[in-house]
Amino acid sequence: MRRNEFEMTDKQELDQFLNEMSFGFLGTSSDDDYPSITPLNFVYCNDSIYFHGSRVGEKMTNLAARPKVTFNVAKEYAVIPSYFTDPVFACPATSFFKSVIIYGQAVIVEDLKEKALVLQALMTKLQPEGGHKPITGDDPEYRGRLKGVSIVRIDAERIVGKFKFGQNKKEEELASVVDGLLNRDGEYDAETIELMRKYCPHFKSSDN
């Protein structure tokens, strides 16, 4: 990564972010040599990314032929206007975000118990209120459905995390950004300030 100050290597931080998120982008290689991007829901279990879908289709064809994939999850917390730190030039305009890119091998899951575990975890994430019969691998009412659905596991070989929250900014710039966020009071602005406090080495003195 070109800017080391934004690199996130702490596994606990990466795991927490992946567990919070439910939507990502799968990158595969197609027959025509164009990269293919598929947006989809996912769940992070046992250090692997899982997603489900039909047994047929472009992504499954690509995975069968070329199982090396990438998977990206990102969340933008705040757009930082240039005028927060510079009243004239547009150059300082940026955004603060978290992003994780996973490089790995896609594996088609056939074990019904593993399939059930993944689908139940996905339901717990997307439908935490319940309202459905729990999914188990030994339930005869689910067995046919489990056999019919495709579950893919991405076994990570490399994970690149980038958490950008102004770590490269000076104390006075951070103070100006905080003032701008407080005055704007957008949906994620208060959370962004807390993340700046957490990740920025110069933030403490700007919080006086």
Side-chain angles (χ1 to χ4, degrees):
M1 184 176 296
R2 185 177 66 87
R3 301 298 298 266
N4 291 333
E5 62 266 38
F6 301 140
E7 185 176 12
M8 176 54 66
T9 58
D10 185 276
K11 186 177 186 302
Q12 185 175 352
E13 290 274 0
L14 296 172
D15 286 356
Q16 180 179 335
F17 178 62
L18 291 172
N19 281 318
E20 289 173 356
M21 303 299 287
S22 62
F23 200 80
F25 297 86
L26 172 71
T28 59
S29 299
S30 58
D31 288 333
D32 58 9
D33 293 329
Y34 280 102
S36 178
I37 304 296
T38 305
L40 45 78
N41 289 115
F42 77 96
V43 67
Y44 184 63
C45 289
N46 300 321
D47 294 334
S48 293
I49 295 288
Y50 287 88
F51 61 88
H52 77 295
S54 171
R55 286 184 174 274
V56 296
E58 180 184 5
K59 71 174 180 291
M60 299 307 294
T61 299
N62 291 346
L63 292 177
R66 292 163 293 273
K68 283 188 175 181
V69 299
T70 58
F71 194 81
N72 174 240
V73 182
K75 179 178 179 179
E76 183 180 64
Y77 287 81
V79 172
I80 308 300
S82 59
Y83 53 77
F84 275 10
T85 55
D86 191 316
V88 178
F89 294 105
C91 305
T94 188
S95 64
F96 289 172
F97 62 88
K98 293 182 181 181
S99 172
V100 174
I101 301 176
I102 295 171
Y103 300 81
Q105 295 279 341
V107 178
I108 308 299
V109 176
E110 300 294 349
D111 181 77
L112 295 188
K113 289 186 177 180
E114 186 176 359
K115 281 187 169 186
L117 178 69
V118 169
L119 291 173
Q120 182 57 53
L122 190 61
M123 288 299 296
T124 299
K125 173 174 278 191
L126 299 179
Q127 192 173 304
E129 70 275 17
H132 66 89
K133 184 180 183 181
I135 304 171
T136 61
D138 55 3
D139 187 334
E141 293 185 319
Y142 272 122
R143 188 169 295 126
R145 292 174 171 85
L146 289 172
K147 289 180 178 179
V149 70
S150 178
I151 300 290
V152 179
R153 183 183 71 240
I154 300 176
D155 292 334
E157 297 176 348
R158 181 162 62 101
I159 298 178
V160 178
K162 183 176 182 179
F163 289 15
K164 180 182 177 184
F165 289 93
Q167 295 96 317
N168 60 324
K169 292 188 178 298
K170 299 177 181 178
E171 180 180 334
E172 59 271 18
E173 292 176 310
L174 289 173
S176 295
V177 171
V178 169
D179 286 343
L181 292 172
L182 287 171
N183 290 328
R184 185 173 67 185
D185 194 24
E187 181 179 3
Y188 295 112
D189 286 349
E191 184 177 1
T192 298
I193 293 172
E194 291 307 309
L195 292 170
M196 291 173 64
R197 186 196 311 274
K198 183 176 184 179
Y199 299 125
C200 294
H202 304 301
F203 186 87
K204 185 175 181 180
S205 58
S206 72
D207 193 35
N208 295 328

